[in-house]
Amino acid sequence: MDWHRLPPLSALRAFAAYARSDSVSTAGAALNVSHAAISQQLRVLEKHMGIALLERRGRRMSLTPDGEILARALDEGFGQISAAVEALTGADAERALQLSTTPTFASAWLLPRMASFRAAHPAISLMIDPSADLRPLSPGGIDMALRYGNGDWPGLEAELFVRSPIAIVAAPGLIDDRRIDTPADLQGFHWLQEFGTNEATSWFAQYGIERDSGLGYTSLPGNLMLEAARQGQGIAILARVFAEPDIAAGRLRVLFEDTRSKGYWIVTRPGVARPPLKAFLTWLRREAAKT
């Protein structure tokens, strides 16, 4: 690395603060300097680099394509520096641990086990975001995610901790004595899938089958999807691990199973994990080993 070619750190900080807030005044407040000082540092940075980072239209400014590239790099770089400093010094230890996972995983797997974590770590605050969306992991934001898939999330570290195939299940009363030999035999049923996913559509497409569009789908949170399946309201598609108690009790019947290597993964950003995250990961791996 050629340190002499890098722009002044003060100019980079000013630009990163502006890019994050899209406001000179807000950036100045974040760095405890005047908005005039921010404007000056932005001009210093452009002069040093010899390119336009900002497009100015009267009193309004916006990032140029080059500015957007630099803004993303600085956000990532300063974010990693901040996370490492806070983790090493313990300055971030009091911030609540933020976790993103699906509603199904939260209600069916995580929450029933949380009492043991609370007993072992009563001082750690935890915020659980139950969403089917892939929330971004960022410094000062969500620390980790528990995601279903094959572990391929570029730029993030993934560790498989609960292996589970996808299962197609239904209440015995919904199927009755009908023969279900191939996926095509399920074309005429109503389907249930977790809100925010398209697993049912993808499953049929995998076998080259076109469903009866007149029957539709019902998308709803995972815990409600399971209850609807128990009541015989449709065929459900989900990770088998969540349906195991119902399968064992005879409330649900497995019709098909996708045995490809998939499951739930611990997903984190590269770098040093702060103490609350380390504690949660240790507990999570121990609980997964009991499954």
Side-chain angles (χ1 to χ4, degrees):
M1 179 183 294
D2 186 350
W3 295 99
H4 297 289
R5 295 191 61 185
L6 287 177
L9 179 59
S10 57
L12 292 173
R13 290 174 69 230
F15 181 77
Y18 168 78
R20 173 167 285 198
S21 63
D22 196 30
S23 166
V24 173
S25 297
T26 303
L31 297 180
N32 198 28
V33 297
S34 68
H35 68 274
I38 295 293
S39 298
Q40 180 182 3
Q41 290 295 338
L42 296 179
R43 289 192 292 271
V44 167
L45 181 60
E46 288 182 305
K47 182 177 180 181
H48 182 97
M49 297 185 67
I51 58 176
L53 301 171
L54 296 161
E55 183 177 351
R56 296 170 174 83
R57 295 177 180 176
R59 300 184 64 180
R60 297 180 61 84
M61 294 192 302
S62 60
L63 297 179
T64 64
D66 288 337
E68 290 177 354
I69 293 173
L70 181 61
R72 287 194 294 270
L74 290 176
D75 189 60
E76 180 71 17
F78 282 133
Q80 289 191 15
I81 293 171
S82 175
V85 170
E86 290 172 342
L88 293 171
T89 61
D92 203 23
E94 300 301 318
R95 181 170 65 84
L97 178 66
Q98 298 187 48
L99 162 66
S100 173
T101 189
T102 65
T104 308
F105 192 87
S107 63
W109 196 96
L110 187 60
L111 292 183
R113 294 169 169 80
M114 282 303 302
S116 67
F117 179 76
R118 294 262 57 85
H121 304 281
I124 295 179
S125 297
L126 187 65
M127 293 177 59
I128 301 175
D129 176 16
S131 172
D133 296 335
L134 297 182
R135 304 294 197 200
L137 308 186
S138 59
I142 293 177
D143 296 282
M144 65 171 293
L146 301 175
R147 296 177 178 172
Y148 188 84
N150 58 10
D152 184 20
W153 291 283
L156 300 173
E157 295 182 349
E159 172 190 344
L160 180 64
F161 78 109
V162 174
R163 188 180 300 276
S164 177
I166 283 287
I168 313 301
V169 301
L174 179 65
I175 301 300
D176 289 327
D177 56 356
R178 301 184 202 185
R179 289 194 59 178
I180 306 296
D181 297 322
T182 69
D185 295 327
L186 298 177
Q187 283 179 282
F189 287 93
H190 188 78
W191 276 65
L192 310 169
Q193 63 186 9
E194 185 163 14
F195 184 77
T197 72
N198 62 351
E199 291 173 331
T201 305
S202 299
W203 190 76
F204 274 101
Q206 176 185 333
Y207 293 97
I209 300 169
E210 291 188 8
R211 287 193 64 255
D212 181 348
S213 60
L215 295 174
Y217 300 91
T218 296
S219 296
L220 62 174
N223 57 329
L224 298 181
M225 177 184 67
L226 265 174
E227 182 56 33
R230 296 183 193 110
Q231 295 177 13
Q233 296 184 25
I235 308 290
I237 178 167
L238 73 172
R240 176 168 176 148
V241 65
F242 304 132
E244 289 292 1
D246 293 293
I247 295 169
R251 293 184 293 269
L252 292 175
R253 169 184 162 191
V254 178
L255 305 177
F256 295 98
E257 191 171 292
D258 184 346
T259 58
R260 290 177 297 177
S261 181
K262 284 189 176 182
Y264 270 86
W265 297 71
I266 298 170
V267 184
T268 56
R269 289 167 51 86
V272 181
R274 61 195 185 96
L277 178 56
K278 287 182 180 179
F280 190 81
L281 291 175
T282 299
W283 171 81
L284 198 62
R285 294 179 183 117
R286 188 179 300 122
E287 288 298 313
K290 300 176 184 177
T291 303

